C-alpha cells in the first residue's frame, strides 16, 4: 500500500517548493510479542515476553511499556540500567531521537540491539494500521504524540484480540510520558499513562533507580530568589548576533578561578573576558554562548589569584557568597592592562557530557540532597539527589547535568554510575580516559564482525597481487615489549653500486575497508592511546598485535616504500607497492645497537643495519643543516611491578643511535609519500603541517637566556637550531637540554589538514623543516595513516577509490577529529604519567637535584630531570607560611633573599613528597633544601651527601627491584616521528 | 559518512524492503491516434508511473522516411526525441533537462538500446519516431522508466522486437546489501547506483544486457551482487510489462467481440 508524503519546504531563495515523497505502508510488520497468535513471527522477532509481570506498585497487571521521545532523551540513563524490560519503542520516537541527539540515539540503538533487554522496535510509521497523516494546523510534535498514542492503542487492541483467543490474562500497554497533556489525551483514548518519575518510584524493588532520574521535571521550587539573570530566547540571541549587538563564541572556564572564564569569539583577536557569577550566568566549559561586550569603562583584566569554590554549606542556597567575588574584583582592579570584557546573556548550545568526580559528604544525616564535586576544576559543582550516599562516599562516580535553573547556584543533575574506589589505579585510569574524552569501551560485536576469520591464510591470489619480498632480509626495530609493530626496514647493495632501502609498513588498510563498522570506529578513536600501564587500541587486538603487526618470522602484508640511493643517501628512484614480507627479526633498539656495534657479526641483518645506520646519519645531518629542530621534552618510563601494577622505578628514557636510525627512515618515507599523494591528488591529500610559531611565543625563552649572558636567534627555524647548538654552559651540563625543553614550549601544535584547503607555503612543517609532510608509517595506531595508505594505494592502482576518500569537506572534518583526539591522547598520556608519579611517591619522600626553569612573581618553577617532573616552590602568598621575605626583580627575572639569588637554570636540591589533603587532586609538594635559607628551607637529613643524593636516596622498593630484576611491563612506545 | 539506507528492521527510508520495486502503473494505447494529424500520426503509445516518475511514450511509424530526417543511405531510420515537461520537476530536485548534454546522451542511449532489439531487417527503408515526454521525474535514473515505457509503446505500435527491454537500478548499503530500484532520496543519500537495461530472456538464453551505467565508483567485488540485483529487478519489471500488455490485448479482444 502506498501513500505520498507531501512536504512544503522553503528553499534558500525563499521559493516554496512542494516535495512529494513516497511512503509505503505495509501489512508485514509484526508486534514482537510472545503472547501474540496473530502475527506470523520469525523466532528472532519475538522480543517481548509472554508474561511481563509487573514490578510496579502502580499497576497490578502484567504490562508492556511504550515510551515517548522526551522520555528517552531525558531518561536514557534509566533505560540503560538493566532493570526495565518489555519496552516498545516506536519508529516515530526513534526518528525524533535521532534528529535531536546523536549521542542518545547511539545509546538507544545499543539497547535496542541487545535481545536480552527485551526492547522492541515497532515500525509504526510504515504499518498500515498505525500510520497517521498530519492534520491541517497540527504541529509536527502533536502529530508525533498522536502517532505514539495510536501505536499504543493498536497494541492494546492487538494484544486483547490475541489473548481472547488463548484465554490468557490481560497484558496492558502503559504509555510513559512526562507531558501532562499527552497523558490526559491518552487517558481519554483509554490508554494508561504515567510519568517516568512516578513509574520508577513505584518500582519498590529498585530504589536505586530513582537516583538516575533526570531532575528536569521537579526542579521548579518556586519562591526562591533567582541567583542569575535570565537567559535570552533563541530569537533574541539570533537577532542580536545578526545586528552585531551580541557575539557568539565558545566558553572556556578558567581552571584556577571558578569565577572567571573566556569566550573565544571569532571576530576578536583576544578572548572576551568574563568575570563574576552573574556575568558567567550558568555557562559551563565548552558551551556555545551568546555574549554581550561591556562598555570599555567596565573592562577588566584577568586576575592572577587562584580561587576555588569552597562553599561551606552547600545545602543552604540563600547564603550570600560574595567574599570570593570581592577578592576577584580587587585583584582585577589594580592592574593596568584591560581586556575586552563581557557578560553571557544566553546559551546557544550546551556541551554537557557526563562528569567524573566525588560526592561531598553531607553533614545532614539521611538527606537525599548532595553536592557532587567534578574532577575537572573547570566544571562547577553539581547538585544531585541520591538515597545511597553512604555507598558513594570514597568512590569515583559519574554524574550527568540535567539543567541549571536561575534560582539554583549549582546546576542540577543525577547520578549515573560508580566507577570504583577512589585512589584505585583502575578507577583512576578510567577517570582520566573519560575526562580526556578517550573512547575506550570494548569493541562492539558489529566491529568484531569485520575481522577476518582465523586461521588467516594468504591466498594464491594475494601473492599474485603483491610483490613477493619474503626472501629479503627485513627486520624491525622497536622499543622492548612492543606488540604493535607497524614498520620494518631493509637495505641491500645493488649491482650498480647503489643501495636499495625499503621501509615496510603494516598494510592495515587491507583489513579495514572504508565505511565498515570497524572503519568508523577507528576513525572515531583516531589514535591508539598509551597510558603508562595500559594501551587503548584504535583497532581490535587481533589486528594490532597479530595480523597487522610485522612480527618476526611470519608472513605479513606490507605497504612498501622502496628507494634506490647512492652512497651519499641521495634518492635516485622511489617506488611504492604492496608486498608480502617475512621479517627475519623483531629487534629492540638495544639489540639492534648491539648487533651494529659487534664487529664479529657479519650476517645479512648486521650488514643491513650498519648500512641503514650509516645512511641515517647522513640523512640526519642533512636535515639538521636545513634547519630541522632537535627539541627535547623530559620523557620518563616507569618500571611497573607485574603483580601489584604499581610503579616501582622511574627512569628517564634512554636514546640510542638506533632510535634515530629508525626515525630518519620513517621521516623520509613520510616525506616521499606526502610528495606522491600531493602530486596525484593536489586537492585531497591528507597532510601534516607544523605552523611557524609567532615571534612573541619565543619571548620567555629569549628573556631567560639573556640573563645567562647568551643571545638566541629565533628569526627562523634554522637560526634557532644553530643558536641552540651553540649555547653551552660548562658548569651546567643540563643547561642545553633545558633550553630545548623551553624551546619546545614555544612551539605550536602540528596538525593534519587536507591539501586543497590551504596554500602551498602553509604546508610547511616547522619542526622538521620540511616543505611537505604526512603520516604514513604507523597505520596500526593512527587513523591518518590509514587514509594516507588508501590515497597512496589509489595512486598506484593497488586499491580502488571510494567517494568519501576524495571529499574535501568530509575529510577536513575528519582532520578536525584526528587533531582533537591526538591532543586529548597526549594529555591523557601526561595525566597517566602524573598519576603514576603520584602513586610512586605515596608514602615516600625523596631529595633530588633540580633546576629553576622560570622565576615567577611569587614562586620558582622547578624541573626535576630524573623524573621529568615540573613543580612549583611558592615563595610568598597563601601557599607558604614562611615569614622570609623574597625580593622579586622583574627586570632580570630573579628572586633574592639575603645573599641567595635565584635565576633561571640555577641548580637546587628539593624534597618531593605527596600532598593528599585534596583526595581528588593529589599533588606533589616541592620543598627547598639547598641553597639553604634560614626559616624557609627545610633541614637536610643528616647522613645525606648532597652530590650523590638522587642515587643514594632511592627507596626500598627500587632496591628490591634491582635485586630481583622483575619482568617489567613497558607499553609506552616512543613516537618515532613528530 | 553515507547515511544508512536500510534500518535495523530491514526497511528502507520509504518503507520498502531491499528487494522491492517502487509502485509501477502502466497503460498502453493512451494516445488516440485519431487526434493526430497525418504528419504527427501516432501508431502506438504507453504511459507509466514508476514511483513518482511519470512518462508518456509515443511511436510514429513505420513510415516512409521524410525528406528531412536522417541520411539517405541508412536503411532504417530511427529517431528518438526526449522532452522534459517544464512542470516536471518535483520540489527542489534537479533542474529540468532542456537541450542539455544529458538529454542528448539519453537520446543516443535509447537509440542504441532499441536498435539492438528491434528486428531492423523488417523495416528496411522506413522510418520510426519515438517521442518521450517526461511529465514528472523523481530521480532513480530517469532512463529506466523511459526505457520501460518505450518498450510498451513499441509493442503497442506492433513493432517486431526480439524481447522486451526492461531497465532497472540498484544500489548498495554500507553493509554490502544490494538495494533494488533506487529512489531519488536514496540516490542523494550517497549510495552508488548501477543502471542496466536488459533483455530478460530470449528463448533458453540467459539475460543479455543492452545498456549499463554506473553513477560512481565502488569496489569491484560488489559488482556481481549489485548486478544480480538489477537483473532480478529487470525480470520483475518484465512480469509487470507482460501483464500490462496481455491485459491490454485481452481488453481489445473483448471489446472487439462485444462490438461484433
Ligand atoms: Zn502480533
Amino acid at each position: 500500500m502506498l501513500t505520498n508524503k507531501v512536504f512544503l519546504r522553503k528553499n534558500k531563495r525563499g521559493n516554496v517548493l512542494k516535495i512529494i515523497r513516497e511512503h509505503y505502508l505495509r501489512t508485514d510488520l509484526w508486534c514482537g510479542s510472545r503472547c501474540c497468535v496473530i502475527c506470523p513471527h520469525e523466532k528472532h522477532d519475538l522480543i517481548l515476553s509472554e508474561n511481563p509481570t509487573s514490578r510496579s506498585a502502580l499497576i497490578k497487571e502484567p504490562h508492556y511499556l511504550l515510551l515517548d521521545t522526551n522520555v528517552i532523551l531525558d531518561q536514557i540513563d534509566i533505560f540503560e540500567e538493566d532493570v526495565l524490560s518489555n519496552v516498545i519503542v516506536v519508529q516515530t520516537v526513534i526518528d525524533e531521537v535521532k534528529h535531536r541527539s546523536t549521542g542518545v540515539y547511539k545509546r538507544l540503538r545499543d539497547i535496542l540491539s541487545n535481545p536480552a533487554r527485551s526492547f522492541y522496535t515497532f515500525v509504526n510509521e510504515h504499518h498500515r494500521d498505525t500510520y497517521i497523516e498530519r492534520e491541517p494546523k497540527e504541529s509536527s510534535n502533536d502529530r508525533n504524540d498522536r502517532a505514539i498514542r495510536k501505536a499504543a492503542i493498536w497494541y492494546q487492541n492487538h494484544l486483547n484480540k490475541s489473548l481472547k483467543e488463548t484465554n490468557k490474562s490481560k497484558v496492558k500497554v502503559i504509555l510513559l510520558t512526562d507531558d501532562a497533556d499527552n497523558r490526559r489525551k491518552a487517558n481519554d483514548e483509554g490508554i494508561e499513562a504515567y510519568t517516568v518519575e512516578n513509574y520508577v518510584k513505584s518500582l519498590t524493588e529498585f530504589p536505586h533507580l530513582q537516583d538516575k532520574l533526570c531532575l528536569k521535571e521537579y526542579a521548579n521550587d518556586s519562591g526562591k530568589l533567582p541567583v542569575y539573570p535570565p537567559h535570552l530566547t533563541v530569537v533574541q540571541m539570533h537577532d542580536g548576533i545578526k545586528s552585531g549587538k551580541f557575539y557568539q563564541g565558545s566558553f572556556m572556564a578558567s581552571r584556577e578561578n571558578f569565577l572567571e572564564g573566556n569566550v573565544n569569539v571569532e571576530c576578536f583577536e583576544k578572548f572576551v573576558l568574563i568575570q563574576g557569577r552573574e556575568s558567567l550566568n550558568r555557562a559551563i566549559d565548552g558551551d556555545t554562548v551568546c555574549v554581550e561586550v561591556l562598555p570599555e569603562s567596565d573592562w577588566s583584566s584577568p586576575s592572577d589569584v587562584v580561587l576555588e569554590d569552597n562553599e561551606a554549606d552547600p545545602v543552604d542556597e540563600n547564603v550570600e557568597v560574595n567574599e570570593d567575588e570581592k577578592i576577584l574584583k580587587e585583584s582585577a582592579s589594580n592592574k593596568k592592562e584591560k581586556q575586552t570584557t563581557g557578560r553571557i546573556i544566553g546559551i546557544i548550545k550546551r556541551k554537557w557530557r557526563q562528569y567524573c568526580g566525588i560526592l561531598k559528604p553531607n553533614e545532614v544525616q539521611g538527606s537525599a540532597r548532595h553536592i557532587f564535586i567534578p574532577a575537572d576544576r573547570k566544571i562547577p559543582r553539581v547538585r544531585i539527589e541520591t538515597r545511597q550516599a553512604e555507598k558513594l562516599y570514597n568512590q569515583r562516580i559519574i554524574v550527568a547535568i540535567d539543567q541549571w535553573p536561575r534560582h539554583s547556584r549549582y546546576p542540577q543533575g543525577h547520578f549515573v554510575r560508580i566507577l570504583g574506589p577512589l585512589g584505585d589505579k583502575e578507577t583512576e585510569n578510567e577517570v582520566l580516559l573519560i575526562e580526556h574524552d578517550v573512547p575506550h569501551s570494548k569493541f562492539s560485536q558489529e566491529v568484531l564482525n569485520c575481522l577476518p576469520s582465523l586461521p588467516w591464510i594468504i591466498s594464491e591470489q594475494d601473492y599474485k597481487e603483491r610483490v613477493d619480498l619474503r626472501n629479503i632480509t627485513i627486520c624491525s626495530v622497536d622499543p622492548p615489549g612492543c606488540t604493535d609493530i607497524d614498520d620494518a626496514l631493509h637495505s641491500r647493495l645493488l649491482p650498480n653500486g647503489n643501495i636499495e632501502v625499503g621501509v615496510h609498513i603494516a598494510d592495515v588498510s587491507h583489513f579495514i575497508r572504508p565505511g565498515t563498522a570497524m572503519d568508523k570506529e577507528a576513525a572515531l578513536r583516531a589514535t591508539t592511546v598509551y597510558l603508562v600501564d595500559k594501551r587503548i587500541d584504535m583497532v581490535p587486538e587481533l589486528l594490532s598485535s597479530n595480523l597487522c603487526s610485522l612480527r618476526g618470522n611470519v608472513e605479513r602484508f606490507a605497504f612498501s616504500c622502496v628507494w634506490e640511493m647512492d652512497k651519499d643517501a641521495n634518492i635516485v628512484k622511489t617506488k611504492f607497492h604492496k608486498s608480502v614480507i617475512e621479517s627475519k627479526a623483531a629487534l629492540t633498539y638495544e639489540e639492534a645497537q648491539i648487533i651494529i656495534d659487534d664487529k664479529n657479526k657479519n650476517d645479512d641483518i648486521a650488514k643491513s643495519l650498519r648500512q641503514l645506520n650509516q645512511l641515517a646519519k647522513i640523512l640526519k645531518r642533512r636535515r639538521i643543516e636545513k634547519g630541522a629542530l632537535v627539541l627535547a621534552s623530559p620523557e620518563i618510563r616507569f618500571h611497573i611491578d607485574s603483580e601489584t601494577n604499581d610503579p616501582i622505578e622511574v627512569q628517564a628514557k634512554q636514546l640510542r643511535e638506533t632510535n634515530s636510525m629508525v626515525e630518519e627512515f620513517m621521516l623520509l618515507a613520510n616525506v616521499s609519500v606526502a610528495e606522491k599523494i600531493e602530486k596525484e591528488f593536489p586537492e585531497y591529500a591528507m597532510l601534516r603541517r607544523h605552523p611557524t610559531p609567532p615571534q612573541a611565543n619565543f619571548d620567555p625563552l629569549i628573556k631567560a637566556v639573556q640573563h645567562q649572558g647568551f643571545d638566541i636567534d629565533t628569526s627562523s627555524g634554522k637560526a634557532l637550531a644553530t643558536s641552540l647548538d651553540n649555547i653551552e654552559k660548562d658548569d651546567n651540563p643540563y643547561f642545553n637540554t633545558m633550553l630545548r625543553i623551553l624551546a619546545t614550549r614555544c612551539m605550536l601544535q602540528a596538525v593534519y589538514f587536507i591539501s586543497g584547503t590551504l596554500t602551498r607555503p602553509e604546508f610547511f612543517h616547522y619542526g622538521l623543516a620540511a616543505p611537505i609532510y604526512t603520516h604514513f608509517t604507523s597505520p596500526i595506531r593512527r587513523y591518518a595513516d590509514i587514509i594516507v595508505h588508501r590515497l597512496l594505494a589509489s595512486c598506484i592502482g593497488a586499491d580502488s577509490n571510494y567517494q568519501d576518500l576524495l571529499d574535501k569537506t568530509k575529510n577536513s572534518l575528519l582532520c578536525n577529529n584526528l587533531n582533537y583526539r591526538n591532543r586529548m591522547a597526549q594529555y591523557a598520556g601526561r595525566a597517566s604519567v602524573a598519576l603514576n608519579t603520584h602513586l610512586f611517591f605515596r608514602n615516600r619522600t625523596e631529595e633530588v637535584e633540580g633546576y629553576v626553569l622560570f622565576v615567577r612573581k611569587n614562586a620558582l618553577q622547578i624541573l626535576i630531570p630524573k623524573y621529568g617532573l615540573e613543580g612549583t616552590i611558592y615563595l610568598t602568598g597563601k601557599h607558604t607560611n614562611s615569614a622570609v621575605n623574597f625580593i622579586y626583580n622583574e627586570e632580570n627575572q630573579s628572586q633574592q633573599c639575603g645573599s641567595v639569588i635565584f635565576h633561571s637554570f640555577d641548580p637546587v636540591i628539593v624534597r618531593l613528597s605527596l600532598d593528599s589533603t585534596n583526595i581528588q587532586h593529589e599533588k606533589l609538594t616541592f620543598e627547598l633544601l639547598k641553597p639553604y635559607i634560614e626559616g624557609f628551607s627545610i633541614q637536610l637529613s643528616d647522613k645525606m651527601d648532597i652530590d650523590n643524593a638522587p642515587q643514594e636516596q632511592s627507596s626500598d622498593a627500587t632496591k628490591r627491584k634491582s635485586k630481583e630484576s622483575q619482568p617489567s611491563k613497558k607499553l609506552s612506545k616512543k613516537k618515532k616521528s613528530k | 559518512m553515507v547515511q544508512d539506507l536500510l534500518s535495523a528492521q530491514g526497511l528502507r527510508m520509504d518503507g520498502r524492503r531491499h528487494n522491492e520495486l517502487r509502485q509501477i502503473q502502466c497503460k498502453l494505447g493512451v494516445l488516440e491516434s485519431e487526434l493526430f494529424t497525418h504528419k504527427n500520426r501516432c501508431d502506438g503509445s504507453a504511459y507509466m508511473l514508476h514511483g513518482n516518475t511519470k512518462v508518456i511514450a509515443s511511436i510514429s511509424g513505420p513510415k516512409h522516411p521524410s525528406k528531412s530526417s536522417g541520411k539517405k543511405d541508412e536503411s532504417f531510420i530511427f529517431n528518438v526525441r526526449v522532452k522534459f515537461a517544464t512542470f516536471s520537476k518535483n520540489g527542489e530536485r534537479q533542474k529540468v533537462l532542456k537541450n542539455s548534454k544529458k538529454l542528448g546522451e539519453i537520446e543516443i542511449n535509447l537509440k542504441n538500446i532499441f536498435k539492438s532489439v528491434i528486428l531492423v531487417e523488417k523495416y528496411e527503408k522506413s522510418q520510426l519516431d519515438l517521442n518521450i515526454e517526461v511529465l514528472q521525474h523523481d530521480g532513480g535514473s530517469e532512463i529506466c522508466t523511459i526505457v520501460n515505457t518505450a518498450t510498451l509503446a513499441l509493442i503497442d505500435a506492433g513493432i517486431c522486437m526480439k524481447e522486451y527491454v526492461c531497465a532497472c537500478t540498484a544500489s548498495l548499503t554500507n553493509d554490502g546489501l544490494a538495494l533494488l530500484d533506487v529512489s531519488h532520496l536514496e540516490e542523494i543519500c550517497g549510495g552508488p547506483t548501477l543502471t542496466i537495461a536488459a533483455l530478460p530472456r530470449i528463448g533458453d538464453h540467459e539475460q543479455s544486457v543492452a545498456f549499463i551505467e554506473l553513477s560512481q565508483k565502488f569496489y569491484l567485488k560488489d559488482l556481481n551482487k549489485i548486478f544480480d540485483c538489477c537483473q532480478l529487478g529487470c525480470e520483475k519489471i518484465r512480469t509487470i510489462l507482460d501483464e500490462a500488455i496481455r491485459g491490454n490485448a485481452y481488453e481489445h479482444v473483448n471489446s472487439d467481440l462485444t462490438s461484433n
Side-chain angles (χ1 to χ4, degrees), chain A residues 2 4 9 17-24 26 28 109 121 123 126 513-514 799-800 803 810, chain B residues 1 4 9 11 13-17 20 22-23 51-52 90-93 174 185 190 216 219:
Chain A
L2 172 84
N4 274 320
R9 186 178 288 171
L17 301 168
K18 188 166 137 198
I19 293 168
I20 302 166
R21 260 178 212 163
E22 285 179 290
H23 188 88
Y24 291 89
R26 318 189 62 95
D28 62 349
R109 266 205 4 194
T121 312
V123 194
H126 288 288
R513 305 309 298 169
D799 205 340
S800 46
Q803 202 187 18
K810 277 181 187 161
Chain B
M1 283 292 151
D4 280 338
Q9 285 67 44
L11 294 185
M13 280 174 281
D14 55 11
R16 286 181 292 152
R17 293 197 190 277
E20 288 175 351
R22 287 173 293 167
Q23 65 154 357
N52 281 328
N90 178 2
E92 91 264 59
R93 305 195 180 154
N174 288 341
L185 192 60
Q216 54 175 265
Y219 287 114

Side-chain angles (χ1 to χ4, degrees), chain A residues 44 121 153 328 367 402 491 507 512 531 555 557 569 593 600 617 709 714 833 870 913-914 965:
Chain A
H44 59 85
T121 312
I153 296 167
L328 178 73
S367 166
D402 301 327
S491 79
D507 191 5
I512 300 183
L531 303 185
E555 292 184 14
F557 287 163
Q593 192 68 55
N600 297 325
K617 282 180 187 164
T714 58
V833 170
E870 207 185 306
S913 61
L914 191 67
S965 82

Side-chain angles (χ1 to χ4, degrees), chain A residues 315-366:
Chain A
V315 183
D316 189 357
E317 279 286 343
N318 294 326
V319 176
E320 290 281 324
V321 196
N322 284 333
E323 201 62 21
D324 288 338
E325 300 233 19
K326 258 186 228 155
I327 299 172
L328 178 73
K329 279 228 177 76
E330 278 165 23
S331 91
S333 59
N334 51 28
K335 280 217 174 175
K336 291 164 256 165
E337 273 178 51
K338 301 280 186 194
Q339 192 183 331
T340 317
T341 310
R343 64 188 186 101
I344 289 167
I345 49 176
I347 308 287
I348 294 163
K349 200 173 172 212
R350 289 290 192 187
K351 210 192 158 196
W352 292 346
R353 53 183 175 94
Q354 299 192 329
Y355 303 96
C356 301
I358 54 169
L359 203 63
K360 188 180 154 109
N362 188 344
E363 280 99 38
V364 186
Q365 278 290 318

Side-chain angles (χ1 to χ4, degrees), chain A residues 285-301:
Chain A
D285 188 64
D287 290 348
T288 305
V289 297
C290 181
V291 66
E292 180 188 38
V293 172
L294 298 174
E296 208 166 328
S297 56
D298 291 347
W299 286 9
S300 180
S301 55

